[in-house]
Each structure stands twice: as structure tokens, then as C-alpha cells.
């Protein structure tokens, strides 16, 4: 209905004529709050609204309506005999009944007819149900009955209290009337469909009090009449005792009455005249016992620390905000939080709207119970009293709490949480509901275990609560909390809680991760100073442009838990975790090495606690040299890319996509899903074995419409067509120049982001009555029965573009998949959409497979892997394995006998380095990919991956990937095991074998880096410690020499060159400026460089070792101060070079005589240089060709006066990686160790 505002209210709404309004019309037609004041003038109404808006000036006042409301006041007992009497009051007429709240109520008003001159109607916010009425002033009675009081004999608490402390014999079924002052009023409680409350009457002249239990349905309205401090008389009381504790108390009977105490109408009755006769046992009271049994759960653990005790106070304040009505949290005066969760607010929090005034009596004051909670908390326990003093005058909404299935309160009472843990629980639930209710709906998320299945929120929270509340033996003692003279309750003592974990939104995860990696960040952290000081400007800034760091759950305080809905983006073709705030790209692997292909998990809500959050850093810098690395002004731009990687076995499925998880288990999507009773996901997947699917007639109906998307019948609406296939090859995601059929002119079209896969069709298309029935593999069953020849095999090239790109992360080699075409009954749908890869006039043979453009509406369903086929499908498996792509090993790839140009292999990344792009890279592909958005690296960069068979393996192959491809490749980190497909194998001019990523290539993550290993901040990973070898053992491994270590003797220095070069153009830098003149170089920054060739031997052979930069100083045995002084002398000359011994013809030009050259020459000839060293090295492949193995040669060796003759290999050319001095003790140990290993090999 439309309300009637006052002419001066300024509402501007259409009005209806004033008059009477029925309760039914008020409930069904009034959608916004309104109020009616029949006796008020306009000025009175304005004054009333002005006072209300003074509390919350941003809120509007209640609009005024001129409506007359007449009805009966009732407690609801007469309307529905089966309904539980909850202690609420109702207003009714012959059209309906509505809850109401009054500030003042008298018992004689029940079932009486009233006119209500001032009232407010407050509808619910969701408008799914009717609201309630707030009675602002006392109603006007129409026919109130009058009663003539009689003189009543009473007993006072001082005389009645001994009946509860000692067993005085009393007459059977004798009743007692007690009069006293109301000292305490407990809240209404409802346990096991019984409503009751406790009150306490105090003696007028002393502090003696007695408890009274009010439990009869017709007495629940007393709760609205009673006021603390007033005097009352209660008739018909009997003594009862609790079963377990034996505590005695007074209990009302059916005939009990509540009367206001009047001294003129009562007379004190001696106790002896009413309580005498035969001795009887006190009757047992069951309802409080049921209350205790329902809470036979644990209390929180006592934790070490300074336990604080809450203060019990009284407080009067105004509700300014509803923090969380489901959790019972309200904000008073914008500074104090009121928590009513420890009471049962049976009136559904009616009246507690912003603007209402409440009085709190005997509530607990808790200061900072939770570190992250901003307010002081006032907690109401079962001994507290909450009184509504005045209603709100504002048009604020009414948010009723859930009448049943309130997960906040269920978990609170199940685990008997204290206030700190409860506030933490509330924060987790609030965030959980806000993030995921838009995906699944609030009701399904917060479903409690009282229903058949627990909701996602309960699955998430229960393990967390069990971890922090391990002791559940001691129950919450309801008796002591309500009846004991010494107060005890869960709010009495508390500890300030630091939350043990957090589950922020994904946008907050991004923000925190980025903040964490940039805090205290300096570019100098990414490079070793010993390396950086020798780098030119271009190399220095390139090495800084890309780095990464990884964060785990323990990297955050408190520990961070990831929650998200698993999605796959057709735009980025990557898996994502999603919530309301953002998306987080993710890489998922299996611990057994099988690829992740669970299409059934799309749309499921996942929880991940063990993960690696990877933050890639991208910097644009212009540092002139390493000396300016601390000056952040040279950082022009910095960006980040964040993604997460984890194992599927570490996933907890909180809410499964409907109808998907069950099929995944039945088909055995991965071997990791089977035989794992303790796995969290496995327990989620356990379902009864489904029935076999029902096949429809496989013959197509020629009378049906060929367009399967426009069916009319109900059968065609739910039917679908599926086709099983095996993936034999998959290519990477990139821009391709596809010209689809029926396109007249393909010229001038933009490149389309796409990928393609070669598949083998198995069997024939099948028709299903519903897409959920497409599950088993009847195609393989039939082929197994018919033999190998009975299998129908046909290759096809699948093209994925547009929305079908979402299947890229699920499609893997050797996987059996099924395309499902929903709402289709045409078995020829796949054949009709196929087309030749080239025009028919150019098609010379039938060897080229037909192309099939995957439609956006098709669904991809992963069935199994070839390795997981059952025993009766072994024949099929043998046939399919013949179609497999050849997968080589890394030693095979780099061997001289390998002849293929495209290779596929798997290996572990041991090093990741950003370098300049290869000179022979095709520019057309790069230029096309530059059009794509999201490239954070310059297109002239490439990443070089050092890939080995296993950590510490001697065989390493380099893989080069252009930066333009990297936006689709996640997880390429040192320590990760990668499967590379269709890389191009190449041989460098130095006869090194390496591989490049091309248009037909594809990579997939097999396993993640070990989480226990420290992840470097620089792009490159750290190599494993090299093993100790002999030089004589290296001749057979020239082509694949690993990094190794030798204990050797430095014989002499052959050549030595020290120079300063320009950081920009690499010309000689002399006396503070570049020496290049044509064209002139503007650089004023020089970089020092050093190189030397030394001769070493270890008794089994000799080697020529190339040393660079800081390793030259180590070879010469110079200290840091001496090396710096030498470099400063060289700077004024630009370059100093010497040659010695057998180094003639090496191309080193010796400088004219000066004191620096003389010093270096004398140093190189000094016997101090010749000493034992520990040398780390790898093969230097700089010569134009690697020396071929030569026969052994006889060489003379002298040691003091002794001369030895030995057969040695030709000198090897090695590259120094590290030099260490060897002390005498270490030298003896290494010699003995080396001799022991040599004898073992013999």
C-alpha cells in the first residue's frame, strides 16, 4: 500500500485516504517503514523526527502515515496450537497476525482489544516475509476488564530461602507464594522446543534472593512485564531440584500468577503452617538439564600468557550500526560493540535498529579481545539483562537473524568459544560469505551439519576450530552461569587473540604480496656485487628487468589460506582462482607427475593451505653502472605478475560443482585419486557407484532438423552427442593466421590467438539421453571385444579459438577426452563441421587430417589416461600407444647421433636467465605477438632455461624461449620439472646443442619446485655443489662436461689482461671518458674487466683455465685492497696486458713497459703464484671447434729434486667458476679422498 505522509513531511509521495488499515494490508502492501501518530500535531512530529536524526544525521526519519490500527494483543497461544510459544507478543485482527514490540506492557492487556494511536511498521529488508510493529505509546483499551484484588498470604525470600538450602519436609503438592524485589531477570531460552526463563527475587530488607524458573507457555509474556528494581508477587510456586547438581529452586506451575506487589493487599504467612506433614522427595526438573545436555561440549584451552578478567558493568547506549545481526553484533554510540550471541534473542532482534536506545545490565566489558577488532566489546551472558529503552525514529531497515541453521551460533555453542575466538570466527565467516555468495548463494554456503550435508563454510571453519579448541571434554556449565552466587561464564576470562590464520580476498592477497616483495626492495639485491661491477649498462639493466620471489602460507602473519572458485579464462587460457573481488592465476600439478586435467572441478570452491605464491617482478631501469644501484631514481617503472602454484593433493574441495565430482571419481581421472583414504579430496569424492548410462538409438533420425541447437522436443532439449578421442599432439598458444572455410578473403585479417591439437577419434559419435550420463568408455569396450582391427581410428586437427581456448590447460598428451555437444541429437554434427586444412585443389593425398573448429558451446570432459586403462582394455591400449609421439631423453637430444629436428623431453630447470634474443629469431612471429596485451618484458629479450635430467645431473641442455611467448607460460622456475613438446633442436657454431620454442611447441608443468628449498630473488637458480674429479677423467665427456671441481696445482699464468671499457659501447674507457670518437660516445661511466689464462695440473693431466674478473684476483692471490689499487692504476691507462710462458700466438698484445706492467709480469713469474688451489669449472667452448680426443703423451714432471714421467691427455680448455685457497689440513684430506675414489674406480 502507499502510506499517507503529512503535508509538511516533504515526502512527495502519492497518498491514499486516511482511515483504518487491516493487518493483512499492512503486511502485504507496505514495503517501506512508516509511522502513524494520530494525536500529534505537525510541529510535534517534526520535533520527534529531529531528535531522532540527531543520533544518525545521515539517516532519514520515518515517513508519517495517517492510518488507524486496531487489534488484539496476544502471546500467540490461541492462533496455532502446534506453534512453540517463544515469549513474543503479537497484534492480531480477523485478517492476520503480526509480531509487535512494546516498551511497556501489562498482563491484563492480553487478549484485549486496543486502539494504537502511535506506532511504526518496520518491514524486513529482503521483503520475503512480513515485518513487525513497534508500539510507541501505550494503546487505548476498548474493553479492558476490571479485577477486584483480594488479600494474598505471601512468604518473603528471607523465609523462603531455607527451603532451597535444606530439605525441610513439606506437604505433597503444596504451593507457595513469594513476594520480593526483582533483582535479576534472565533472557528467554528455548531448548528442545521448550521456552523458559529465570528470575531472581530479593528480600526488601536484605540481600537474600531466591531463583524462580518460569516455564509454562502462558507465563512467557511475564518477561515483557518484569522490570528490575520493582516489587512483585508470584503465586503457586513449588520446589524442584536439578538432576545432576541437585541445586534447588522455585518453579512456577500452571496456576501461578504474577502480581504487582502491594503492601495493602498482602499479608505475611508463617512458613510452618504451609509446609508441614509427611516427607517427600523434591521433584526433578528436566528442562535445564536438557539445556545442559545440548551444550555438553568443550571449552577453550587455557593458553599461556596474561589472562585478563572482564569487568561487569551496566551501560546505556544507542544502536548506531548493525555489524552482523546473524552473529548478534551491534555497534553502540559508534565506539562499543554489543555481542548478544551468548544469549538466545528469541524475538529475532526486533527493535534493535539503528537509532534505538538500549540499557545493558551486568554485561562483560572486554578490551581488545581480538588484535584486529577495532572496538571495545560488551558481551551479554545468561546473567545479563538487555532492556530496550526507546525505539528508533529513523527509517532504518530491519534485518532479522536466521531462525534456524544459524552457523555463527551453532559453531559458538558447539565449541563453546570465548569472545576472542568467536570474533575471529565471525570475521572469517563474514569474509567467506561476502566473497562467494554471488557464486553459490548464501544459503548453500552457510548450510550447517544439521542438514544432510555440511555447507562450504562449515567445511572450511570446523578444522580451524578443532585446531585451536582441542579440548572438548568439559561442558559449559549452564547452572552455574545462571544460578550460582559466584558468577562463572565463558566471558569472564579471556586472552587477546592473535588470529592463527587468515583467509583474505584475492584482491587483498595481491595487495599484500606486492607490498611484501617491494618492502625494503633494492635492485642491488638481485645481483652479486662481484658480478655487477663488471657488467655494461645494457647487460646490467637486462639482468634487473625480470626477477621473482615465492611466498608460502607461513610467509604471512598470520598464516594465509587461499580460497577460490576454480575457473578457466578463455582470454588468458589459464586456470584461475576467483572470488568476488578478483582472480588469481594458478598452476596445478599432481604429486605423481601426471598432468592436471580435472575438467569436473571447474566451478568448485577450493581451499589451499600448502602452496607457492609466485610474484614476478618486472623493472624498467636505466642504471649507468652498478655504483648507482642504490639510487632508485633510475627505476623508471615497476610492475608485478602474481600467480599461485600448488598440488592437487593439497586441495580441499569445499563445494563441488554439481554433478561433476562423482563422475570424476568413477572414471578415475588420475591415479592420485585412487586408494587414498586419508586424502581430503578423496573423502569429498566418495559416492556410490552410479548406474550404467542409457544409450539412445545411435541411428540418426533423418526427419529431424539438422540444426541441433534449435530442437523443439523435450528429448532433444536434454539429449547430447559425444565423441571420444585421444590427444596425440598439442601445440602452444599463440597468434595464428587461420583462414576458416566460408570466408571469401583471408587477406588483411588480424591474427587470432589460438592453439591446435592433433587427436585420434575413437569409435563413433554417441547419443545420450542427458549429458550427465556420458561417463563410461563403451567405445573401448567394443574395440576390446572386436580386437585391434575393430577399432575405428581417424585423425583430426582440432582448432581452438575464442571461448574454446578455456580448454587449453586441461588438454594433455596421452589423455582420453570426450567432446559433449549439449542439446543436440545429430550424430553427424562433427562430420558436418570438419573441413580440409588446405583448399581441395591443393590436397594431393588423404594423409592430411581434417580440421575441426571446436565450438564455444561444446564441453570437454576428461575421461582417463592411457596408462590407467583397465585390464580388459589392454588391447586398445597397445593400439593407442602406437600413435604416441616420441619422447626423448636429454642425453639423447644432445648426442651427436640424434637426427630429429623437433624434440620432446622432460627435465628439471636448474637455471633461468634473461638474455638478448637469438639473432636468428624470425621477426614475423615476434612482430605479430607484440600486438598482444600483457607482455611485461621487452620483445627483444629471451629467457634461457638450463634443463637437466635431475638435480646435480651432469647433462644440461639450454632452452631458449622468446619473451613474447612468456605471457602464456606460468611456472618456469628453477626446481620445476617441465615437459617440453616439439622444441626445435639446433647446433651452435661452437657445436653446442640447444633448443628453441617455436610455433608448434608446448610446455606443461610436471612437478613444482621443492617448497623446502630457498627460492632465489634473482632470475637464475643456484647450481648444486660440484663433485671432485680428475682431469684425466674429463677427456671422454668433452661434449657434455658438467660443472665440476678439481684439486690442482697452479703452474703459471699464461696471459693477463686488465682493462676499463665504456658501459655503453664497450670501447676503451680511459681517464674518465670513452675513447670512441666516431661517433662520439656520451658515456662517462666505465666498467672494469679482467681476464687471464692459467695453466693447472693435478697429476693426471693439464688444463688451460680461462678466468674472468674477480676470479683473476683470486688466481693472483691479491687481497681486495690490493686489487682495488691495481684497478685504479689501470683506469688511467685504459688497458694493461702481459703474456708469459707458452702463451705466444694467443692474440694478447703486450703493452709497452711501465710500472704496472712490470709489477704484473713479476707477479706472474713469482713462485708465490704456484700453489695448490680448489677450482670449480666447466668446459670453455669458445674455440671454433672442440678438440677431438688425442692419444696420450709422455710428459716430465719435477717435484723438488725428483723428476717423474707420466702419460697425460692433451690440455683441456676450461672456464673458471670459483677459486678457493686450500689449507694444509684440507689439502691432505682432499688428497686422501681423491685417492680413495680413484682406487674404488679401479
Amino acid at each position: 500500500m502507499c502510506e499517507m505522509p503529512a503535508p509538511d513531511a516533504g515526502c512527495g509521495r502519492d497518498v491514499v485516504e486516511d482511515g483504518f488499515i487491516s493487518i493483512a494490508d499492512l503486511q502485504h502492501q507496505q514495503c517501506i517503514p512508516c509511522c502513524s501518530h494520530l494525536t500529534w500535531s505537525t510541529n510535534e512530529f517534526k520535533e520527534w523526527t529531529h531528535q531522532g536524526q540527531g543520533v544518525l544525521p545521515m539517516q532519514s526519519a520515518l515517513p508519517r502515515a495517517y492510518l488507524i490500527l486496531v487489534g488484539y494483543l496476544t502471546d500467540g497461544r490461541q492462533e496455532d496450537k502446534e506453534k512453540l510459544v517463544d515469549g513474543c507478543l503479537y497484534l492480531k485482527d480477523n485478517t492476520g497476525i503480526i509480531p509487535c514490540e512494546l516498551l511497556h506492557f501489562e498482563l491484563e492487556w492480553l487478549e484485549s482489544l486496543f486502539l494504537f494511536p502511535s506506532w511504526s511498521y518496520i518491514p524486513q529488508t529482503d521483503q520475503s516475509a512480513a515485518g513487525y510493529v513497534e508500539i510507541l505509546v501505550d494503546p487505548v483499551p476498548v474493553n479492558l476488564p476490571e479485577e477486584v484484588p483480594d488479600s494474598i498470604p505471601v512468604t518473603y525470600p528471607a523465609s523462603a530461602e531455607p527451603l532451597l538450602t535444606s530439605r525441610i519436609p513439606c506437604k505433597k503438592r503444596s504451593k507457595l507464594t513469594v513476594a520480593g524485589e526483582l533483582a535479576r531477570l534472565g533472557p528467554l531460552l528455548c531448548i528442545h522446543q521448550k521456552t523458559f526463563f529465570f528470575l531472581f527475587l530479593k528480600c526488601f530488607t536484605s540481600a537474600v534472593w531466591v531463583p524462580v524458573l518460569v516455564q509454562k507457555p502462558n507465563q512467557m509474556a511475564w518477561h515483557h512485564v518484569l522490570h528490575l528494581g520493582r516489587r512483585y508477587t508470584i503465586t503457586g510456586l513449588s520446589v524442584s531440584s536439578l538432576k545432576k547438581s541437585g541445586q534447588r529452586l522455585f518453579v512456577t506451575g500452571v496456576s501461578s500468577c504474577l502480581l504487582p506487589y502491594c503492601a495493602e493487599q498482602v499479608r505475611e504467612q508463617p512458613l510452618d503452617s504451609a509446609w508441614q506433614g509427611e516427607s517427600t522427595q523434591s521433584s526433578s526438573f528436566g528442562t535445564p538439564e536438557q539445556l545442559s545436555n545440548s551444550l555438553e561440549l568443550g571449552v577453550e584451552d587455557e593458553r599461556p600468557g596474561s589472562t585478563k578478567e572482564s569487568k561487569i558493568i551496566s551501560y546505556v547506549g544507542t544502536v548506531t550500526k548493525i555489524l552482523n545481526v546473524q552473529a548478534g553484533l551491534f555497534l553502540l554510540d559508534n565506539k562499543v560493540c554489543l555481542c548478544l550471541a551468548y544469549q538466545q534473542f528469541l524475538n529475532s532482534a526486533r527493535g534493535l535498529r539503528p537509532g534505538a536506545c538500549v540499557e545493558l545490565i551486568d554485561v562483560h566489558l572486554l578490551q581488545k579481545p581480538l588484535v584486529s577488532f577495532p572496538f571495545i566489546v560488551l558481551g551479554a551472558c545468561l546473567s545479563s539483562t538487555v532492556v530496550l529503552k526507546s525505539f528508533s525514529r529513523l527509517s532504518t531497515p530491519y534485518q532479522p537473524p536466521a531462525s534456524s541453521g544459524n552457523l555463527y551460533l551453532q559453531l559458538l555453542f558447539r565449541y563453546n568459544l570465548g569472545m576472542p575466538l568467536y570474533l575471529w570466527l565471525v570475521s572469517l565467516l563474514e569474509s567467506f560469505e561476502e566473497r562467494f555468495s554471488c557464486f553459490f548463494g548464501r544459503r548453500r554456503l552457510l548450510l550447517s551439519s544439521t542438514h544432510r550435508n555440511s555447507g562450504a563454510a562449515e567445511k572450511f571453519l570446523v578444522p580451524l576450530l578443532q585446531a585451536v579448541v582441542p579440548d572438548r571434554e568439559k561442558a559449559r556449565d549452564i547452572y552455574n552461569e545462571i544460578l550460582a552466587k559466584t558468577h562463572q561464564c565463558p566471558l569472564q576470562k579471556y586472552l587477546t587473540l592473535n588470529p592463527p590464520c587468515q583467509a583474505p580476498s584475492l584482491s587483498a592477497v595481491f595487495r599484500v604480496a606486492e607490498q611484501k616483495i617491494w618492502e625494503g626492495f633494492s635492485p642491488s639485491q638481485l645481483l652479486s656485487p662481484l658480478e655487477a661491477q663488471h657488467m655494461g649498462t645494457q647487460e646490467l639493466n637486462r639482468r634487473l628487468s625480470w626477477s621473482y620471489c615465492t611466498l608460502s602460507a607461513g610467509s604471512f602473519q598470520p598464516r594465509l589460506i587461499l580460497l577460490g572458485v576454480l575457473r578457466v579464462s578463455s582470454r588468458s587460457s589459464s586456470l584461475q582462482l576467483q572470488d568476488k573481488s578478483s582472480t588469481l592465476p594458478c598452476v596445478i600439478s599432481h604429486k605423481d607427475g601426471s598432468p592436471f586435467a580435472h575438467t569436473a572441478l571447474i566451478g568448485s570452491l577450493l581451499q589451499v593451505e600448502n602452496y607457492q605464491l609466485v610474484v614476478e617482478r618486472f623493472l624498467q631501469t636505466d642504471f649507468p653502472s652498478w655504483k648507482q644501484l642504490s639510487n632508485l631514481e633510475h627505476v623508471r617503472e615497476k610492475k608485478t605478475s602474481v600467480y599461485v602454484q600448488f598440488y592437487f593433493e593439497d586441495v580441499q574441495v569445499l563445494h563441488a560443482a554439481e554433478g561433476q565430482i562423482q563422475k570424476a571419481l568413477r572414471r578415475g581421472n588420475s591415479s592420485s585419486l585412487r586408494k587414498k583414504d586419508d586424502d581430503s579430496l578423496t573423502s569429498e569424492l566418495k559416492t556410490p557407484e552410479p548406474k550404467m548410462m542409457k544409450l539412445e538409438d545411435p541411428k540418426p533420425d533423418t526427419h529431424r532438423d539438422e540444426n541441433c541447437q534449435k530442437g523443439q522436443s523435450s528429448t532433444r532439449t536434454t539429449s547430447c552427442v559425444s565423441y571420444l578421442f585421444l590427444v596425440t599432439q598439442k601445440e602452444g598458444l599463440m597468434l595464428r593466421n587461420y583462414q576458416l572455410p566460408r570466408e571469401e578473403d583471408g587477406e588483411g585479417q588480424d591474427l587470432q590467438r589460438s592453439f591446435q591439437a592433433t587427436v585420434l577419434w575413437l569409435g563413433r559419435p554417441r547419443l545420450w539421453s542427458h549429458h550427465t550420463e556420458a561417463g563410461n568408455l563403451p567405445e573401448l569396450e567394443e574395440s576390446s571385444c572386436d580386437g585391434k582391427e575393430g577399432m575405428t581410428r581417424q585423425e583430426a586437427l582440432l582448432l581452438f579459438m575464442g571461448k574454446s581456448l578455456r580448454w587449453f590447460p586441461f588438454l594433455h598428451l596421452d589423455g582420453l577426452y570426450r567432446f559433449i555437444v549439449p542439446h543436440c541429437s545429430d550424430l553427424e554434427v562433427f562430420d558436418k563441421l570438419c573441413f580440409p586444412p588446405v583448399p581441395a585443389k591443393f590436397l594431393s593425398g588423404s594423409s592430411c587430417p581434417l580440421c575441426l573448429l571446436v565450438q564455444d558451446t561444446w564441453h570437454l570432459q576428461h575421461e582417463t589416461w592411457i596408462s590407467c586403462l583397465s585390464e580388459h582394455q589392454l588391447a586398445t591400449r597397445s593400439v593407442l600407444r602406437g600413435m604416441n609421439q616420441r619422447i626423448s631423453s636429454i642425453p639423447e637430444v644432445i648426442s651427436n647421433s640424434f637426427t630429429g629436428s623437433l624434440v620432446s623431453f622432460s627435465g628439471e630447470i636448474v637455471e633461468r636467465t634473461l638474455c638478448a634474443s637469438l639473432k636468428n629469431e624470425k621477426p614475423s612471429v615476434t612482430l605479430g605477438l607484440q600486438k598482444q596485451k600483457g607482455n611485461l618484458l621487452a620483445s627483444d629479450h629471451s629467457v634461457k632455461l638450463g634443463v637437466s635430467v635431475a638435480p646435480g645431473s651432469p647433462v644440461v641442455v639450454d632452452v631458449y624461449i622468446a619473451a613474447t611467448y612468456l605471457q602464456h607460460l606460468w611456472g618456469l622456475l628453477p626446481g620445476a620439472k617441465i615437459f617440453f613438446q616439439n622444441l626445435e633442436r639446433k647446433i651452435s657454431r661452437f657445436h653446442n646443442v640447444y633448443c628453441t620454442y617455436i610455433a608448434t611447441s608446448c610446455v606443461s608443468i610436471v612437478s613444482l619446485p621443492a617448497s623446502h628449498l630457498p627460492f632465489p630473488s634473482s632470475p637464475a637458480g643456484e647450481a648444486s655443489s660440484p663433485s671432485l674429479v680428475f682431469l684425466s677423467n674429463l677427456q671422454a665427456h668433452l661434449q657434455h662436461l658438467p660443472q665440476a671441481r678439481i684439486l690442482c696445482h697452479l703452474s703459471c699464468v699464461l696471459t693477463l689482461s686488465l682493462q676499463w671499457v665504456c658501459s655503453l659501447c664497450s670501447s676503451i674507457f680511459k681517464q674518465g671518458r670513452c675513447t670512441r670518437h666516431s661517433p662520439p660516445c656520451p658515456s662517462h661511466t666505465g666498467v672494469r674487466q679482467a681476464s687471464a689464462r692459467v695453466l693447472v695440473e693435478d697429476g693426471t693431466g693439464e688444463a688451460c683455465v680461462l678466468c674472468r674478473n674477480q676470479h683473476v684476483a683470486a688466481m693472483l692471490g691479491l687481497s681486495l685492497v690490493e686489487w682495488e689499487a691495481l684497478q685504479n692504476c689501470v683506469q688511467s691507462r685504459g688497458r694493461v696486458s702481459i703474456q708469459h710462458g707458452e702463451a705466444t700466438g694467443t692474440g694478447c698484445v703486450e703493452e709497452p713497459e711501465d710500472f704496472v706492467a712490470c709489477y704484473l709480469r713479476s707477479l706472474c713469474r713469482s713462485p708465490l703464484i704456484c700453489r695448490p688451489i680448489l677450482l670449480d669449472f666447466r668446459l670453455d667452448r669458445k674455440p671454433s671447434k672442440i678438440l677431438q680426443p688425442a692419444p696420450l703423451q709422455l710428459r716430465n714432471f719435477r717435484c723438488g729434486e725428483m723428476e717423474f714421467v707420466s702419460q697425460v691427455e692433451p690440455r683441456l680448455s676450461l672456464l673458471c667458476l670459483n677459486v678457493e685457497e686450500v689449507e694444509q689440513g684440507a689439502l691432505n684430506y682432499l688428497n686422501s679422498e681423491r685417492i680413495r675414489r680413484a682406487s674404488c674406480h679401479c
Side-chain angles (χ1 to χ4, degrees), residues 104-120:
H104 172 236
F105 178 71
E106 301 293 341
L107 286 178
E108 56 267 21
W109 293 359
L110 280 177
E111 305 304 327
S112 298
L113 183 63
F114 288 92
L115 170 68
F116 299 92
S118 294
W119 51 273
S120 300

Side-chain angles (χ1 to χ4, degrees), residues 729-731 885-886 901-905 980-984 996-1002:
Q729 181 177 329
K730 174 188 174 184
E731 298 185 4
Q885 180 184 9
R886 180 189 175 188
S901 60
L902 295 181
V903 294
S904 299
F905 60 89
F980 299 92
Q981 301 178 55
N982 294 332
L983 298 180
E984 185 177 9
T996 59
Y997 190 96
I998 59 176
T1000 60
S1001 304
C1002 187

Side-chain angles (χ1 to χ4, degrees), residues 454-475:
S454 299
E458 187 172 5
K459 291 179 183 177
F460 167 58
L461 291 170
V462 165
L464 301 180
L465 294 177
Q466 290 175 342
V468 296
V469 191
D471 183 14
R472 299 181 55 190
E473 295 180 358
K474 187 176 180 181

